[in-house]
Amino acid sequence: GNSVTQMEGPVTLSEEAFLTINCTYTATGYPSLFWYVQYPGEGLQLLLKATKADDKGSNKGFEATYRKETTSFHLEKGSVQVSDSAVYFCALIDLTGNQFYFGTGTSLTVIP
Amino acid sequence: DAEITQSPRHKITETGRQVTLACHQTWNHNNMFWYRQDLGHGLRLIHYSYGVQDTNKGEVSDGYSVSRSNTEDLPLTLESAASSQTSVYFCASSTAGGETQYFGPGTRLLVL
């Protein structure tokens, strides 16, 4: 079956620190992979995605590379800001293209 | 601008009462989804619909029902609210086979 596992939080970093949030997946075939972000009090919104192996998704300074050999899609940012404080969800979409599977979310707090 | 809205944003109810949460989208999307978000569980799928008159059970559908009479709306009904249904509920929509889900702002439900 399909599933996503991401690192437990919460994660607390100082401003300008390097961020990595690990995500691994189990899936039938090679699904598209996503990172969603949830800011306090809001719904989820798409941060970035990658649709095939070795693709790199990027947005707002965040990056993630689709690694087929390690079934991973780790989220990275070189220098975090206070405004990056949010909950980050890794997700995959099944091969029908209709149903998502989300990880449990990782809470990030960035302190000045 | 197209959007997806949920109402109410906050609801307090008593055990045993029937509760309906509204979800309305103006994206003209075929697919609509209901999730609940709980600490330690991330997002779990309750019900989903791929079009008018189509409804399907998700991972945690017991005690919930949905109906889809038009493209824009997918109301979620708790038949007899239980304290275990205290949660934050998110509605989302996507195009058929679309790879991005658009989320509503969420409804925070407290069952006393």
Side-chain angles (χ1 to χ4, degrees), chain A residues 1-4 90-94 99-103, chain B residues 35 43:
Chain A
N2 296 316
S3 67
V4 174
C90 187
L92 65 84
I93 193 167
D94 71 1
Q99 197 162 139
F100 273 75
Y101 297 82
F102 288 90
Chain B
Y35 297 91
L43 287 170

Side-chain angles (χ1 to χ4, degrees), chain A residues 32 34 36 38 89 97-98 100, chain B residues 31 33 37 90 97-99 101:
Chain A
S32 294
F34 304 80
Y36 276 79
Q38 182 183 30
F89 291 89
N98 285 321
F100 273 75
Chain B
N31 299 349
F33 307 83
Q37 184 180 26
F90 287 99
E99 292 200 324
Q101 287 196 353

Side-chain angles (χ1 to χ4, degrees), chain A residues 15-101:
Chain A
E15 206 165 22
E16 299 183 2
F18 185 85
L19 168 71
T20 299
I21 301 178
N22 290 337
C23 171
T24 57
Y25 67 91
T26 302
T28 304
Y30 303 108
S32 294
L33 302 174
F34 304 80
W35 278 99
Y36 276 79
V37 59
Q38 182 183 30
Y39 298 105
E42 299 183 10
L44 280 72
Q45 52 187 278
L46 179 66
L47 179 60
L48 54 85
K49 70 177 185 182
T51 57
K52 62 182 187 296
D54 299 325
D55 265 3
K56 178 185 285 187
S58 62
N59 186 25
K60 299 182 180 180
F62 291 89
E63 293 182 341
T65 301
Y66 191 138
R67 301 287 188 198
K68 183 177 66 174
E69 62 278 8
T70 55
T71 61
S72 65
F73 193 54
H74 305 321
L75 182 69
E76 297 181 335
K77 187 174 185 181
S79 175
V80 293
Q81 306 300 312
V82 172
S83 57
D84 294 327
S85 297
V87 180
Y88 293 82
F89 291 89
C90 187
L92 65 84
I93 193 167
D94 71 1
L95 293 182
T96 68
N98 285 321
Q99 197 162 139
F100 273 75
Y101 297 82

